[in-house]
Amino acid sequence: MLQDEALLEEDHKKHLSGISRRIPIDSECTVCLAGALEDLSKPIVGFIRLAQGQNIPRVIEVAMPVRFLFVLLTPLDSNLDFHEMGRAISTLMCDQEFVEVVYQAETMRELLLGINNFLDDSIVLPPSTWENKSLLDVNGIRKKSLELRRRKERKSSPPDEEKKVPPPPRDPLKRTQKIFGGLVEDVKSRFSWYLSDFTDGLNPQCFASAIFIYFAAISAAITFGGLMGDKTDAEIGVSEALVVTCVSGVLFSLLSGQPLVVVGMTGPTLLFDEILYQFCVDNQLEFLSLRFWISLWVAAIATVVVAWEGSALVRFFTRFTQEIFASLISLLYIYESFLKLYAIFFAHPLVLDYCSAVPMNTTNTTVASTVTSQPNTALWSAIMMMATFLIALSLRRFRNSRFLVRSVRRALGDFGVPIAIIFIVAIDYSIIRVYTQKLTVPEGLSPSKPDYRGWIISPLGLQTSISALQIFCSSFAALLIFILLFLEIQISELIVNKKERKLRKGSGFHLDLLLISYLQVVAALLGGPWVCAATVRSVSHVASLTVMSRTHAPGEKPKILGVKEQRLSNLLVSLLIGVSVFMAPVLSQVPVAALFGIFLYMGVSSMSGIQFFERLTFLFMPAKHHPDFSYVRKVRSLKMHLYTAIQVVCLAVLWVVKSTRAALGFPFVLLLMVPVRYYCLPCCFSPAEIRALDGEESDSEDEPEDDDPDFYKQILP
């Protein structure tokens, strides 16, 4: 029995020690003691403020200094409820404004004045009508609280007194009405942090993030480079993809306004190059040389757009459009992972007699190998893919578990993806009797087609000359690729710069658009693929650099404290990709199935921050089980489901366009989401419902009422 009590006491101590780690440093507490005595004839109240916090043993469970003592003793037969009075004092001490009064009060009058101010700002609900649901309306209580605060401010200051209002934070999407004004403001605001961008990067979390993004970036470069080689007859291949990803990544990490964005090859840009190559073959045009003139037109268009602050149009891309685009990219990563795994199953099917199996052909040469119909290859590839995904995901969740010490948990969580890859590579290396396809990395620094081209592309043509008419007509193709680049970089920056991430160093919408457009000239001159903002890699990069709270209460979800904003992780990723050209012996041991697992991990992990996927789950649960989110409280369930259904239809339309021959018009179809948001949704939803679902709710004290007829006109550009 004594042993059981000792174990319970030990568990209780461990629980309290866990709570202590969640309490902020320099915290002080208040002790409220209330009770009744027979010998008293009237109540006795004492409120004590100590000069310094004192550790008083056996008074509170958690060891922390006591700064305030409240003692209440009432007669035993008194009508006063000392329990409720003690709760009232505890409630007062939970209010930050009242605590500030208590710390500075010198007399009882100041203390009573603080209590009166607390009551003035409080909202009383009559107990006789407590069941009336309108009394518990969150919006009504919030608006009433704002009215009380405004009334208090009007009383405290004369009307003619000039208030010193701090300047609002800079809006990067507000027009300056000057030529290149937005670009100048981006440079001024962002490069004031330039030195700290390097000092803040000297952190283990940033190093772990760089390793994680490196494997994701190099797998994308090799995969897309291989696909590019297939589609362009090796005029652009893996070598060009690695070199251009390295060069553009280094330049972007050093010069961009938002270095948390990762640049590289993406599916839409690959699709555009495929269509352009086929067009050049059909019309007997120089593919590589024509791409150079297209890139020059892209740079020229970007210069004009940035000069007239065209990035301000990004304010049209609200959460409605952002979520559709981000969901499409996330689903593409998941779909591509399983599609590549299917290609392995297609190349290595189950046969009755492997000894007499005939090598099979497959259309996907980036996954299939000359070695086909090997036993256990498909099964082992599926196991490696899912194992990489599950290990990385489990270690990420392990970071917030209760096992091991915090430093070990953080290390395992930060290095989850590298650990998963190293583990799978070691297991695969030890199993020598099962064939698995490895990464195909070119050895040395040579073009994919050295007998046809060098590393510098001649703008005048490699085999046939480029005419002036072709140069002029290439401007139409440049307009299409510019729209695609504009959408990718701006939407990626909007997602990265979400308010809940609490970024403090600003962004660079105008600067990054201009920089990414001029990088196309560098890429085309080297004969490499188009590069743009990689949305999923950028979101994963930011997520790996996010700092979560450690002082949240047990059972409460950790909150985002900020993000380690720096340039070193992105720079290190780009340099490692460049070094990978000379790391062929090492990288050739990595099975491609492990990289498919990384793709799957990135697609799944990027879904967690998208509200659209949360609302999809609400379709399959009763309304009473919906979580207590702001938009859930403010919008009826039927309207919320209708909003989600509209997004599903838009997402399906984009997927169909991307998968058909109409893929060249993908940027225009994505742009159509803007008029759908601004002209179609108001037909089904009220302005207040759209603001709640679209994330336009204001946290300022000057928030207008929902019935203000001019407010909805003001939020439209």
Side-chain angles (χ1 to χ4, degrees):
M1 190 69 178
L2 293 176
Q3 185 178 2
D4 293 341
E5 292 180 357
L7 291 175
L8 289 174
E9 183 178 358
E10 184 67 24
D11 292 340
H12 184 60
K13 289 181 179 180
K14 291 181 180 179
H15 176 66
L16 294 181
S17 64
I19 295 177
S20 300
R21 288 197 301 267
R22 300 177 183 271
I23 298 176
I25 302 174
D26 299 332
S27 297
E28 295 177 325
C29 68
T30 301
V31 175
C32 294
L33 303 175
L37 290 178
E38 295 181 358
D39 300 335
L40 291 180
S41 58
K42 58 181 180 180
I44 298 176
V45 180
F47 190 79
I48 304 170
R49 182 184 64 200
L50 302 178
Q52 293 180 350
Q54 301 293 327
N55 291 318
I56 305 177
R58 298 183 181 180
V59 175
I60 58 175
E61 289 185 313
V62 182
M64 60 184 304
V66 177
R67 186 66 182 271
F68 299 97
L69 283 168
F70 175 79
V71 181
L72 170 64
L73 296 176
T74 62
L76 192 61
D77 56 351
S78 174
N79 293 328
L80 297 176
D81 191 337
F82 60 86
H83 287 292
E84 294 301 326
M85 296 181 69
R87 292 192 184 101
I89 293 296
S90 301
T91 302
L92 284 169
M93 296 303 296
C94 291
D95 182 71
Q96 184 62 33
E97 294 184 3
F98 180 76
V99 170
E100 293 177 359
V101 172
V102 173
Y103 267 100
Q104 301 174 3
E106 298 293 339
T107 62
M108 182 182 295
R109 179 179 178 81
E110 296 178 6
L111 190 63
L112 294 176
L113 182 61
I115 296 176
N116 289 334
N117 291 336
F118 176 85
L119 294 176
D120 289 341
D121 292 338
S122 301
I123 299 174
V124 179
L125 300 178
S128 59
T129 56
W130 180 260
E131 297 298 329
N132 191 346
K133 293 184 179 180
S134 63
L135 292 176
L136 302 178
D137 180 67
V138 177
N139 290 330
I141 293 177
R142 186 167 181 262
K143 293 174 183 176
K144 186 67 176 177
S145 177
L146 292 176
E147 290 177 4
L148 292 173
R149 193 173 302 176
R150 294 191 188 103
R151 186 192 313 163
K152 183 179 178 181
E153 291 178 352
R154 287 194 295 267
K155 290 181 180 179
S156 61
S157 60
D160 56 346
E161 181 181 352
E162 294 184 0
K163 299 181 180 180
K164 295 182 179 179
V165 181
R170 171 183 173 264
D171 184 2
L173 299 178
K174 184 178 180 180
R175 294 180 183 272
T176 63
Q177 306 299 330
K178 299 178 182 178
I179 300 296
F180 290 107
L183 177 64
V184 173
E185 291 297 323
D186 283 349
V187 174
K188 286 182 179 179
S189 63
R190 194 58 179 85
F191 283 87
S192 61
W193 301 90
Y194 199 76
L195 181 60
S196 66
D197 283 339
F198 291 94
T199 56
D200 293 346
L202 301 175
N203 186 279
Q205 185 175 354
C206 298
F207 176 73
S209 173
I211 299 299
F212 161 43
I213 300 299
Y214 162 70
F215 280 103
I218 193 173
S219 60
I222 293 174
T223 302
F224 287 132
L227 287 171
M228 195 73 169
D230 293 341
K231 306 300 182 182
T232 64
D233 192 22
E235 291 191 27
I236 299 177
V238 176
S239 298
E240 291 79 11
L242 292 175
V243 171
V244 169
T245 302
C246 170
V247 173
S248 60
V250 169
L251 293 175
F252 192 85
S253 61
L254 292 176
L255 303 176
S256 65
Q258 183 49 271
L260 297 180
V261 173
V262 179
V263 297
M265 295 181 63
T266 61
T269 58
L270 172 66
L271 187 62
F272 185 89
D273 257 330
E274 177 186 350
I275 297 174
L276 179 63
Y277 177 79
Q278 191 60 44
F279 176 82
C280 292
V281 170
D282 295 340
N283 295 275
Q284 297 180 352
L285 301 175
E286 282 278 358
F287 173 62
L288 295 178
S289 299
L290 191 65
R291 288 177 81 256
F292 176 80
W293 292 107
I294 293 175
S295 65
L296 282 182
W297 280 110
V298 168
I301 296 172
T303 303
V304 175
V305 171
V306 171
W308 294 99
E309 301 180 291
S311 293
L313 298 175
V314 176
R315 66 180 184 271
F316 285 96
F317 300 142
T318 60
R319 172 174 283 175
F320 178 83
T321 307
Q322 294 176 36
E323 287 185 342
I324 293 174
F325 181 75
S327 301
L328 176 67
I329 301 300
S330 299
L331 293 176
L332 275 175
Y333 267 73
I334 298 174
Y335 171 76
E336 290 293 334
S337 301
F338 286 101
L339 181 64
K340 292 177 175 61
L341 182 64
Y342 167 77
I344 294 180
F345 273 83
F346 183 80
H348 303 277
L350 179 64
V351 295
L352 297 177
D353 187 3
Y354 284 97
C355 297
S356 60
V358 180
M360 301 175 61
N361 295 323
T362 179
T363 58
N364 193 344
T365 58
T366 61
V367 179
S369 174
T370 56
V371 181
T372 56
S373 300
Q374 294 297 306
N376 303 323
T377 294
L379 177 61
W380 179 230
S381 297
I383 293 174
M384 286 192 294
M385 171 181 160
M386 297 308 300
T388 305
F389 165 72
L390 293 175
I391 292 174
L393 188 65
S394 300
L395 290 178
R396 178 186 175 186
R397 295 178 177 177
F398 184 77
R399 178 171 179 161
N400 296 322
S401 68
R402 298 180 180 179
F403 299 97
L404 305 180
V405 296
R406 183 173 56 193
S407 58
V408 176
R409 292 200 309 268
R410 291 183 61 190
L412 291 175
D414 292 340
F415 291 90
V417 173
I419 291 174
I421 293 177
I422 293 173
F423 178 77
I424 294 300
V425 170
I427 297 297
D428 180 68
Y429 185 79
S430 63
I431 303 177
I432 59 177
R433 299 189 63 182
V434 177
Y435 167 78
T436 55
Q437 185 191 349
K438 306 297 193 299
L439 275 178
T440 303
V441 184
E443 296 186 4
L445 197 62
S446 62
S448 299
K449 207 171 184 180
D451 56 339
Y452 176 76
R453 49 156 294 187
W455 275 113
I456 302 298
I457 302 300
S458 173
L460 302 179
L462 298 178
Q463 295 181 345
T464 59
S465 60
I466 298 291
S467 65
L469 180 61
Q470 294 174 2
I471 294 175
F472 174 76
C473 293
S474 63
S475 61
F476 296 100
L479 180 61
L480 293 176
I481 189 63
F482 173 77
I483 294 175
L484 182 60
L485 295 174
F486 180 88
L487 294 174
E488 291 253 20
I489 184 64
Q490 303 292 23
I491 293 180
S492 296
E493 292 223 11
L494 282 174
I495 296 174
V496 168
N497 288 278
K498 282 184 177 179
K499 183 167 52 176
E500 56 264 28
R501 302 192 195 278
K502 300 180 180 179
L503 301 182
R504 58 188 179 89
K505 293 186 178 182
S507 58
F509 289 91
H510 307 277
L511 173 61
D512 292 349
L513 175 61
L514 188 67
L515 179 60
I516 202 73
S517 299
Y518 275 85
L519 285 178
Q520 309 312 317
V521 180
V522 179
L525 189 62
L526 295 174
W530 306 110
V531 292
C532 63
T535 305
V536 172
R537 275 166 271 171
S538 301
V539 172
S540 301
H541 187 212
V542 176
S544 62
L545 294 171
T546 301
V547 180
M548 308 299 294
S549 64
R550 305 177 190 172
T551 58
H552 55 279
E556 182 184 4
K557 291 184 177 180
K559 299 179 180 179
I560 296 178
L561 299 180
V563 177
K564 293 188 180 298
E565 302 175 66
Q566 36 74 47
R567 298 178 184 271
L568 281 184
S569 59
N570 205 344
L571 178 62
L572 183 59
V573 169
S574 303
L575 292 176
L576 287 175
I577 291 176
V579 175
S580 300
V581 178
F582 307 99
M583 295 172 56
V586 177
L587 293 177
S588 60
Q589 299 299 321
V590 179
V592 294
L595 300 183
F596 301 162
I598 296 180
F599 273 52
L600 181 61
Y601 170 78
M602 292 175 61
V604 172
S605 61
S606 62
M607 292 170 60
S608 61
I610 301 177
Q611 188 190 98
F612 167 71
F613 291 109
E614 294 177 350
R615 285 187 273 104
L616 275 179
T617 61
F618 298 166
L619 294 171
F620 306 99
M621 66 174 66
K624 64 180 180 180
H625 295 306
H626 291 173
D628 188 24
F629 293 153
S630 175
Y631 62 88
V632 174
R633 297 194 303 265
K634 298 176 182 179
V635 182
R636 290 181 301 171
S637 298
L638 184 61
K639 285 292 191 71
M640 182 174 61
H641 297 334
L642 177 61
Y643 185 89
T644 306
I646 294 174
Q647 284 187 307
V648 170
V649 173
C650 294
L651 180 61
V653 170
L654 285 175
W655 188 281
V656 171
V657 171
K658 177 203 71 68
S659 305
T660 60
R661 292 186 176 182
L664 197 61
F666 174 81
F668 293 104
V669 179
L670 182 57
L671 283 177
L672 289 178
M673 301 300 108
V674 175
V676 169
R677 156 64 178 84
Y678 281 102
Y679 297 107
C680 297
L681 289 187
C683 299
C684 306
F685 303 90
S686 67
E689 291 172 336
I690 293 178
R691 293 201 305 273
L693 289 168
D694 215 9
E696 293 181 354
E697 289 292 340
S698 174
D699 296 328
S700 65
E701 297 180 3
D702 297 327
E703 180 183 7
E705 300 291 334
D706 289 342
D707 55 358
D708 185 354
D710 295 328
F711 174 69
Y712 192 62
K713 298 178 182 178
Q714 296 170 5
I715 67 172
L716 292 176

